[in-house]
Amino acid sequence: QALGLFCTVEVQLAGQGSPGVAKGGRAVAGAKGMGRACGFAGRPSMHRALQARGLGAAVLLAAARATVHRMNPDAYNGDEFIVAGTQSAASGGGWRCYKVVVGTHVQQGQTINNDADKNNEYCEQHWRFERSLGDYDHTVHSLVQYYTGGADDGCALVDGTRMDRESQLIMTEDSRESKLSAHVAEPNGKCKYEVALTGPITVFPTSTSTTRTSTSTITTTTTTTITTTTTHTATTTTTTTTDTTTDRRQRRRGQRSW
């Protein structure tokens, strides 16, 4: 393994051709030069320890090329990971299923008893919710997401109040891994979880490549309203009476005859 190496180096070791060139243009020669050029997580003597263990140039080169770095979980908000993971000793050890919806919540699923079921596929197909390990609260330094307000069963009493579960989520890209894995610990006491998701970059969805796609179907209903307008035509008949001179005379005679 890389043993804490956090840099990428292109090296052609001495004895196998021309002197190697480390990123940044510095020449290195052999494992010792590689150790100086990269550094092993603040331990400059690490290259000597590797040599003492008889690790050859190929192993050192593979270690130098390993990519291990912490990712910003906020970049994956909304992505869902259902994964088999190791459970902390404080909770009894063993394996469980976990569901993480980044930026939303962390959940604990069922215990896994059979060795054959200790894999992500089993958890995805047979996921069964057991308790909440917290809902998203905030992110610190673009590296750790904090979740609070989880289930309180079995947690400590403080001033007569049972404390809720809470979690910290960290996500790490490790090119040496072939699949996504989860490790859940309680380093700060019972019911205070540290959930670490680790895997190659290919298991973390991006805008161009996703390993787990949640499809949301939006159905748009178009309502067509047909308005029928009925026009009522009113016909007005006007009767005009023509009062002639003859008619007037006749009416006068009629009135005098009374």
Side-chain angles (χ1 to χ4, degrees):
Q1 295 187 354
L3 298 175
L5 177 62
F6 284 87
C7 68
T8 301
V9 181
E10 294 297 334
V11 175
Q12 184 176 15
L13 296 174
Q16 298 180 350
S18 58
V21 177
K23 188 175 182 180
R26 291 177 294 173
V28 297
K32 187 173 181 179
M34 184 186 296
R36 285 199 306 269
C38 287
F40 290 86
R43 299 173 62 183
S45 62
M46 183 61 74
H47 63 277
R48 291 193 296 272
L50 292 173
Q51 285 180 313
R53 294 182 184 183
L55 297 181
V59 174
L60 289 173
L61 183 57
R65 286 178 173 169
T67 300
V68 181
H69 76 270
R70 292 272 292 276
M71 299 188 297
N72 177 5
D74 288 351
Y76 299 91
N77 282 347
D79 288 324
E80 177 185 281
F81 301 93
I82 300 178
V83 59
T86 55
Q87 182 176 248
S88 68
S91 293
W95 286 67
R96 275 187 181 271
C97 292
Y98 294 92
K99 178 189 284 188
V100 176
V101 179
V102 185
T104 302
H105 57 240
V106 178
Q107 297 178 341
Q108 186 182 74
Q110 70 271 28
T111 299
I112 305 175
N113 296 314
N114 298 324
D115 289 343
D117 296 333
K118 295 176 181 178
N119 56 74
N120 299 342
E121 291 76 15
Y122 168 81
C123 289
E124 289 179 355
Q125 295 171 13
H126 303 283
W127 167 256
R128 186 175 69 251
F129 170 82
E130 286 197 357
R131 61 176 55 85
S132 169
L133 300 187
D135 297 322
Y136 177 75
D137 188 90
H138 65 284
T139 302
V140 174
H141 301 311
S142 298
L143 291 174
V144 184
Q145 284 189 347
Y146 285 82
Y147 295 73
T148 60
D152 63 3
D153 59 295
C155 298
L157 285 170
V158 177
D159 297 330
T161 301
R162 196 168 295 281
M163 302 303 293
D164 295 335
R165 282 175 169 79
E166 55 188 52
S167 301
Q168 300 176 25
L169 173 66
I170 60 175
M171 300 173 67
T172 303
E173 175 199 350
D174 189 338
S175 63
R176 299 166 299 176
E177 301 293 332
S178 60
K179 62 182 181 179
L180 181 68
S181 64
H183 177 70
V184 180
E186 294 175 85
N188 300 313
K190 189 171 177 60
C191 295
K192 297 181 182 295
Y193 298 86
E194 181 182 273
V195 181
L197 296 180
T198 303
I201 192 61
T202 53
V203 303
F204 296 105
T206 65
S207 58
T208 57
S209 175
T210 58
T211 55
R212 181 179 180 83
T213 304
S214 297
T215 303
S216 177
T217 302
I218 301 174
T219 303
T220 302
T221 302
T222 302
T223 302
T224 302
T225 302
I226 300 175
T227 303
T228 302
T229 303
T230 302
T231 303
H232 297 280
T233 303
T235 303
T236 303
T237 302
T238 303
T239 302
T240 304
T241 302
T242 303
D243 191 2
T244 61
T245 304
T246 303
D247 292 334
R248 286 197 299 272
R249 289 175 179 173
Q250 289 176 350
R251 284 199 299 274
R252 289 195 190 99
R253 282 198 296 269
Q255 289 173 353
R256 285 196 297 269
S257 66
W258 285 99

